[in-house]
Amino acid sequence: MKKAVFIAILFGCLTASLPASEPQWSEVAPGVWRSIVGQPDAYDLLKAAGVPPAREALARVEPAQFPLPAGLIAADVINGETHLRLPLDRNEQIYGFGLNFKTIHQRGRILQLHVDHYGGKDDGRTHAPVPFYVSSRGYGVFVNSARYIRVWSGTGVRKDSPNFPEPRDRNTDKGWSARPYSDSVEMLVPAAGVEIYVFGGPKPLDAVRRYNLFTGGGCLPPRWGLGFSHRVPRLYDENQVLAEAREFAERGFPLDVIGLEPGWQSRSYPCTFVWDKKRFPAPSDFVAKMTGMGIRVNLWTNPYVSPESPVYETLLPLSSSHTVWLGIVPDFTLPKAVQTLVNLFKREHVDIGVSGYKIDETDGYDHYLWPDVATFPSGLAAEQIRQTYGVLLQKATTRVYREKNLRTYGLTRASNAGAASFPYVIYNDYYSHEDFITALCNSGFAGVLWTPEVRSSQGGEEWLRRMQSVCFSPMAMLNAWASGTKPWSFPEVERQVKEIALLRMRLLPYFYTEFARYRFDGIPPFRAMALEEGFLADETRMESKGASLEQNPYEEAVLKEIKDQYMAGEFLLVAPMFKGQASRQVILPKGKWYDFYTGAFAGGGEVISVTPGLDKIPLFVKDGGIIPTMPAGLRAPGRGQKFSLEIRHYGAKESVYTLYDDDGETLDYERGTYSWRDLRVSRDAGGRLVGAVSPAGQGKPDNLGTVTWTFMTR
Ligand code: GAL
């Protein structure tokens, strides 16, 4: 017997007196299993979000078997904390654990999942530290706890591991590794119990879909939410805002939403939530003027309440022991606190036509946020409130719109599990273009949306490259709160910036449908390549860092991760260009891929090199890709407004794309007022490709005007 195996068996016997318990699983929805370990906290992530599973949609996903060897999962409560262990296979890769900015591959990482601003390191502290991971083997695991969970994702080696590696002698053995092979994901939840969920596949995307649907399905923004958003400098008054909106129109730049930053409020940091009467003497007239121009108004706020706010006295007894910027921190797990905010927001903003919010600062910086010793009137721990504060505010503000049968679309700096259906996009101040794209890839593993917002730039090239990326994200936004930039701020690329913003507008029917698929099928509209079929390990081959032992005694082989290209919807592959890049490599998954702009064949199952020039962001379309577009307008079509469809088909394949349509603004779709129409491409008797659109159906929404087809690949 080999010595290592003997040791493993021996230790296995020694630890037998401390057996790890095998959790029991019950299937709580099709392809979703739950185990309750110990005594979970009464408050958890799913309770904070309070959104029921989309059960009918879950039943439509292909059936699945329990995807893990149940006997290899262990869960124990020891000294009041829950220890979890789940197995990993040799070539298995792990994705997820929230909105990470630098890494896609999470195997080998040690994290503490903690809501925070992103501080430049993937250590688990991020705007949405969602305790959900997805495996390349096609399953997902979610730990439903609002605690700071610690994760060792394939790093610990237990002495009783059945895969105990052979110990090596560092003196003589080149194969010695500072990070010996680990066969499990381990987690420590600081609570005497927890609910764990396992989501079946068979593909990784199926597990993601089940997770999203289990948490209610993704959000469906209003149509206007997918147009262009611009946030003005923080102290702009109403005349400056109106002038800025007019200038967009005069210059022919699209604009659907203008965001006001802190100066619209009479006081900010902490906030009053009421208008500043000097800068905005007649808020209702101002919003009406904007709406008259077809532009929505979004309001920035943070949730910390100033003593000058009309709701301060009511919220005071309902708030934390500690303050943030000397403002009180309402306990939004208390219905009365929520109702107080909802009433004020409704009266002051939503009733006069404000379209949504940017809810800032719910993530925190430790030095200004409430500390973990703070107490809250609900009796919940400060930690639990911190993990869910962003979610609670998304929930409360969504409710204001829900009560008016309206959709909203806004911004949040914090989120967590369970919030996929809330119409909020995460942003931050970190501003690395490259890492913003990695976050966009990772958002699809976490049930959250992310915008790589544009703010400023050192020159025209970077400005354009960032604009090109943000137009292929959940929110095409320029946030000029500090910089005062406009889309046309760099005259040398003004034409190209306008072109990309207008391309975004042309693609609205496609993006809107892809969001409907997020809502109805759980498919994230923007997602990492790892979720794309045909994007296999042979394209992402093993690479050694190749550093010398002297420079790096802990050299390890790393699997190359692809974090600079992503999928936008079913057919589009986006490969952003960064400042200083004239060309780049793009990995095209198996199958045939075509250039979006020309329809020319680009490759398939290979790495290609592209030199697109400054004007273009590289975009590729799958064989048989059907992309519904519309004429470029300066605003998204309004309620009931008909629009023409210009449908593009790529490649040679016959195919079908199902176009989604509804009124674009209300929640009537939740009651069945929507249509899915087949856009079908087939070959006629002469072998030529022809397109057909199926009818909307009796009494169903139909906003289509004329329809034209372009077969892009000749
Ligand atoms: C920051 C936020 C910015 C801007 C600013 C206003 O926290 O990330 O986008 O809103 O506050 O003070």
Side-chain angles (χ1 to χ4, degrees), residues 231 234 260-262 268-269 300-302 325 358 360-361 363 365 368 413 427-430 453 455 477 479 481-482:
R231 305 200 70 87
R234 67 191 182 97
L260 307 185
E261 288 287 320
S268 70
Y269 295 87
W300 171 98
T301 194
N302 67 48
W325 299 300
K358 167 176 174 177
D360 208 16
E361 318 284 9
D363 48 345
Y365 267 79
Y368 65 61
R413 270 241 315 242
Y427 64 97
N428 72 6
D429 294 336
Y430 171 67
E453 66 169 39
R455 293 183 162 202
M477 176 171 69
N479 178 12
W481 77 279

Side-chain angles (χ1 to χ4, degrees), residues 206-402:
D206 298 321
V208 169
R209 290 179 60 192
R210 285 185 219 274
Y211 167 79
N212 285 334
L213 293 173
F214 191 71
T215 58
C219 76
L220 178 62
R223 254 195 193 102
W224 53 259
L226 299 179
F228 197 85
S229 290
H230 177 69
R231 305 200 70 87
V232 296
R234 67 191 182 97
L235 294 180
Y236 260 30
D237 65 20
E238 63 167 42
N239 292 325
Q240 290 169 301
V241 179
L242 286 161
E244 191 122 314
R246 278 186 220 108
E247 195 171 356
F248 268 76
E250 281 154 20
R251 289 176 176 262
F253 275 82
L255 181 64
D256 267 291
V257 182
I258 274 213
L260 307 185
E261 288 287 320
W264 72 270
Q265 283 192 50
S266 58
R267 274 166 174 264
S268 70
Y269 295 87
C271 293
T272 55
F273 313 126
V274 296
W275 295 84
D276 180 87
K277 288 290 161 59
K278 286 189 290 317
R279 286 185 283 269
F280 294 88
S284 149
D285 293 349
F286 161 72
V287 178
K289 277 185 208 153
M290 293 291 287
T291 314
M293 293 164 72
I295 296 167
R296 321 272 159 167
V297 176
N298 175 289
L299 299 180
W300 171 98
T301 194
N302 67 48
Y304 311 116
V305 189
S306 156
E308 309 288 319
S309 171
V311 285
Y312 181 82
E313 294 302 330
T314 315
L315 290 174
L316 187 59
L318 309 174
S319 62
S320 165
S321 57
H322 286 65
T323 56
V324 176
W325 299 300
L326 311 180
I328 54 170
V329 181
D331 184 336
F332 286 120
T333 66
L334 302 174
K336 188 174 172 197
V338 174
Q339 193 60 52
T340 304
L341 189 84
V342 162
N343 292 347
L344 180 73
F345 278 28
K346 183 168 177 302
R347 191 182 70 229
E348 282 285 314
H349 322 136
V350 182
D351 282 350
I352 64 167
V354 166
S355 72
Y357 295 94
K358 167 176 174 177
I359 307 164
D360 208 16
E361 318 284 9
T362 45
D363 48 345
Y365 267 79
D366 283 353
H367 61 260
Y368 65 61
L369 218 74
W370 65 86
D372 287 347
V373 294
T375 57
F376 283 79
S378 60
L380 291 171
E383 166 186 7
Q384 294 170 295
I385 301 281
R386 177 139 179 199
Q387 294 293 72
T388 56
Y389 212 57
V391 172
L392 294 171
L393 277 139
Q394 291 177 59
K395 178 164 80 170
T397 44
T398 305
R399 197 180 113 191
V400 187
Y401 288 93
R402 179 160 281 282

Side-chain angles (χ1 to χ4, degrees), residues 102-251:
K102 295 218 177 263
T103 51
I104 303 271
H105 291 173
Q106 300 304 323
R107 187 166 182 164
R109 308 202 62 80
I110 297 171
L111 307 164
Q112 187 185 31
L113 304 180
H114 189 311
V115 168
D116 203 341
H117 75 288
Y118 180 69
K121 259 199 306 204
D122 280 6
D123 56 8
R125 283 191 176 237
T126 178
H127 308 269
V130 179
F132 171 62
Y133 70 85
V134 188
S135 159
S136 57
R137 294 178 61 83
Y139 66 87
V141 175
F142 166 49
V143 178
N144 181 22
S145 167
R147 299 278 174 179
Y148 302 146
I149 302 173
R150 294 169 73 191
V151 178
W152 292 264
S153 172
T155 63
V157 186
R158 294 170 60 97
K159 63 190 182 185
D160 62 354
S161 161
N163 305 301
F164 196 81
E166 174 134 18
R168 292 170 183 258
D169 174 17
R170 193 181 181 189
N171 288 344
T172 55
D173 190 338
K174 286 215 173 82
W176 180 90
S177 167
R179 295 191 183 191
Y181 178 74
S182 161
D183 64 3
S184 42
V185 174
E186 293 177 278
M187 290 186 243
L188 187 63
V189 185
V194 77
E195 240 182 35
I196 330 168
Y197 290 88
V198 166
F199 298 86
K203 297 189 293 283
L205 182 59
D206 298 321
V208 169
R209 290 179 60 192
R210 285 185 219 274
Y211 167 79
N212 285 334
L213 293 173
F214 191 71
T215 58
C219 76
L220 178 62
R223 254 195 193 102
W224 53 259
L226 299 179
F228 197 85
S229 290
H230 177 69
R231 305 200 70 87
V232 296
R234 67 191 182 97
L235 294 180
Y236 260 30
D237 65 20
E238 63 167 42
N239 292 325
Q240 290 169 301
V241 179
L242 286 161
E244 191 122 314
R246 278 186 220 108
E247 195 171 356
F248 268 76
E250 281 154 20
R251 289 176 176 262

Side-chain angles (χ1 to χ4, degrees), residues 431-486:
Y431 213 54
S432 152
H433 187 187
E434 284 85 345
D435 294 354
F436 271 17
I437 299 306
T438 305
L440 192 51
C441 298
N442 279 326
S443 64
F445 295 121
V448 298
L449 300 172
W450 160 258
T451 173
E453 66 169 39
V454 181
R455 293 183 162 202
S456 56
S457 151
Q458 284 165 1
E461 182 201 357
E462 180 192 344
W463 186 250
L464 176 58
R465 291 312 192 192
R466 285 180 177 271
M467 281 287 184
Q468 289 170 339
S469 300
V470 86
C471 286
F472 286 85
S473 82
M475 190 180 280
M477 176 171 69
L478 167 52
N479 178 12
W481 77 279
S483 60
T485 47
K486 332 271 176 217

